[in-house]
Amino acid sequence: MKTKKLLNQLMELKEKHIELINDSRNRNQTCGLASNYSELTHRIADLLKTSKKALEGMHSLPETNPTEIEYNVADVIGIAIKLLPFSEMQFIDKTMELLSEESSTNTEH
């Protein structure tokens, strides 16, 4: 009985918080950049690493326009921020709370 209640709570949380990649709703708001959350995290990391390298090497090429590079890097970082799965992180936090509560309830009996 408790397992069914927990499962229902998790399903409600999923419906509320899983937004960027949701197969049940046939929706992927990452514009095809990722098909799952692991891939999405790697894409975000790649964007940030590329931005870091661009900023580090910005002054090593005298013929480049640093201001243009800064704007390009700012755009890439903006994209990375939009791709961060904030709502999904709330899902994980709330799921961990529920599982912790379930675990403590099971150990008390």
Side-chain angles (χ1 to χ4, degrees):
M1 185 68 161
K2 287 182 182 182
T3 303
K4 188 169 183 156
K5 180 182 175 187
L6 177 63
L7 184 59
N8 287 336
Q9 289 174 314
L10 291 172
M11 293 304 286
E12 287 175 22
L13 287 172
K14 178 184 175 198
E15 286 300 312
K16 182 178 180 182
H17 293 288
I18 301 299
E19 295 178 353
L20 287 178
I21 300 173
N22 191 333
D23 293 335
S24 67
R25 294 186 193 170
N26 245 353
R27 186 171 73 188
N28 184 335
Q29 296 180 348
T30 66
C31 302
L33 292 174
S35 58
N36 58 54
Y37 286 97
S38 179
E39 189 178 344
L40 177 61
T41 303
H42 288 289
R43 294 278 185 249
I44 294 167
D46 289 344
L47 289 169
L48 295 172
K49 288 175 193 174
T50 302
S51 298
K52 180 179 182 245
K53 291 288 186 192
L55 289 174
E56 288 172 349
M58 186 169 68
H59 298 290
S60 64
L61 300 172
E63 68 275 358
T64 60
N65 180 354
T67 305
E68 182 180 338
I69 294 172
E70 288 172 355
Y71 285 126
N72 291 338
V73 170
D75 285 343
V76 170
I77 292 172
I79 292 167
I81 290 169
K82 288 178 183 176
L83 288 172
L84 287 170
F86 291 112
S87 186
E88 287 75 359
M89 295 301 106
Q90 290 176 330
F91 170 78
I92 291 171
D93 288 343
K94 291 183 185 301
T95 300
M96 294 304 293
E97 286 175 25
L98 284 173
L99 292 172
S100 179
E101 290 170 10
E102 183 72 15
S103 177
S104 66
T105 302
N106 284 338
T107 56
E108 290 173 5
H109 293 141

